[in-house]
Amino acid sequence: MADKVVFLDRMLSLGLARVSEAAAMASANLVGRGDEKAADQAAVNAMRDQLNLLDIHGTVVIGEGERDEAPMLYIGEEVGTGDGPAVDIALDPLEGTTLTAKDMPNALTVIAMAPRGTLLHAPDVYMEKLAIGPGYPKDVVSLDMSPADRVKALAKARGCDMSDITVCVLERPRHEEMIEGIRSTGAAIRLITDGDVAGVIHCAEADITGIDMYMGSGGAPEGVLAASALKCMGGQMWGQLTFRNDDERGRAAKAGITDLDRIYTRDEMVTADVIFAATGVTDGSIVSGIKREPGFLTTETILMRSKTGSVRRMIYRNPVAAN
């Protein structure tokens, strides 16, 4: 039976990179064209086609939405050949559709894979998120702290002034009070317009990105993807689902969540070994965007495995037919 096959993360990792690469290349012609839906659909189609070539018995647990909302890569959709390990798949075929349409930095194609039943089935609601990079004591910051206290605690653990801390925050009206609290400490804020998976990943490479901490609310599905990346790269993350109405609470119940107030740690969102791949669509601080030259498209992909802590950066120069 497929369910008894061992999760061959090493063998599957290159296939996962091909999936994210295909989605990025499919959206290449739509960068800067102002059409978010077309860019997203192109990435979805390509990602699905590539997933169905993999020898896996895959189920999409984080996807484009419920079946009636998304014709492809919907939550619960089965992908792969059916031969191979039973796996959970979390994906965002185009993380940053607006960024792609406007040719702004940090648009990515993102996918994670883990053994069946080990990724949090996060409903399509908001999640309050907090993340820091590796090298800190466990639970040095928490969601129970005020934004200012988080900065203070992290600065103490790092042995620096609070003014040396930089926090990444999604620029939204709902974060105005939080931003005020962070700035009251003297810390710097890197505001991003979209793409909070990339925002969380930035914490794991603080020496490159200059970002020490991520905080704020964003999509819960993206929270699981970000936790998958941090499990590979190192770092701590916490997430708590938030609900605006009964419909959203109903979505959580449908996903099997019974404790609506629970704060999830990184390893509670991703409970086993995971592989993660992200390919740049537009230039960003994690990977470069798609580059064009006559007859070729070149992509950069970051490919990671939590089992070994390995992080690969892969350049793919792909011949393309002339129009």
Side-chain angles (χ1 to χ4, degrees), residues 109-130:
T109 60
V110 183
I111 186 165
M113 184 187 294
R116 176 69 51 82
T118 62
L119 295 181
L120 176 66
H121 293 205
D124 189 12
V125 300
Y126 280 127
M127 175 185 279
E128 190 68 29
K129 304 169 192 176
L130 175 62

Side-chain angles (χ1 to χ4, degrees), residues 248-270:
E248 292 189 350
R249 282 182 277 274
R251 283 175 179 256
K254 188 176 179 181
I257 291 168
T258 54
D259 183 355
L260 300 185
D261 298 319
R262 179 174 176 177
I263 293 176
Y264 295 89
T265 64
R266 183 199 73 183
D267 291 342
E268 289 170 336
M269 288 188 267
V270 185

Side-chain angles (χ1 to χ4, degrees), residues 35 73 116 142 165 179 285:
D35 194 337
L73 293 177
R116 176 69 51 82
S142 75
I165 297 293
I179 288 169
S285 45

Side-chain angles (χ1 to χ4, degrees), residues 76-220:
E77 181 173 352
E78 294 192 358
V79 293
T81 64
D83 298 321
V87 296
D88 281 352
I89 295 169
L91 52 84
D92 193 338
L94 189 54
E95 218 261 323
T97 54
T98 301
L99 300 177
T100 302
K102 295 182 177 181
D103 196 4
M104 296 171 66
N106 284 317
L108 302 166
T109 60
V110 183
I111 186 165
M113 184 187 294
R116 176 69 51 82
T118 62
L119 295 181
L120 176 66
H121 293 205
D124 189 12
V125 300
Y126 280 127
M127 175 185 279
E128 190 68 29
K129 304 169 192 176
L130 175 62
I132 57 175
Y136 292 105
K138 186 178 178 182
D139 298 328
V140 66
V141 294
S142 75
L143 281 175
D144 295 327
M145 293 178 174
S146 69
D149 285 343
R150 295 170 192 166
V151 173
K152 183 177 181 180
L154 194 67
K156 182 178 179 182
R158 196 179 127 186
C160 67
D161 293 333
M162 287 187 284
S163 60
D164 293 324
I165 297 293
T166 298
V167 183
C168 184
V169 178
L170 196 60
E171 188 174 17
R172 296 291 186 270
R174 63 180 179 269
H175 291 150
E176 287 175 1
E177 185 177 339
M178 184 179 69
I179 288 169
E180 189 176 319
I182 296 168
R183 285 193 170 139
S184 72
T185 67
I189 295 177
R190 175 94 51 92
L191 289 171
I192 57 173
T193 57
D194 291 281
D196 66 347
V197 173
V200 171
I201 293 173
H202 286 152
C203 299
E205 297 186 315
D207 55 333
I208 299 171
T209 64
I211 291 172
D212 302 289
M213 180 161 44
Y214 180 92
M215 65 172 89
S217 65

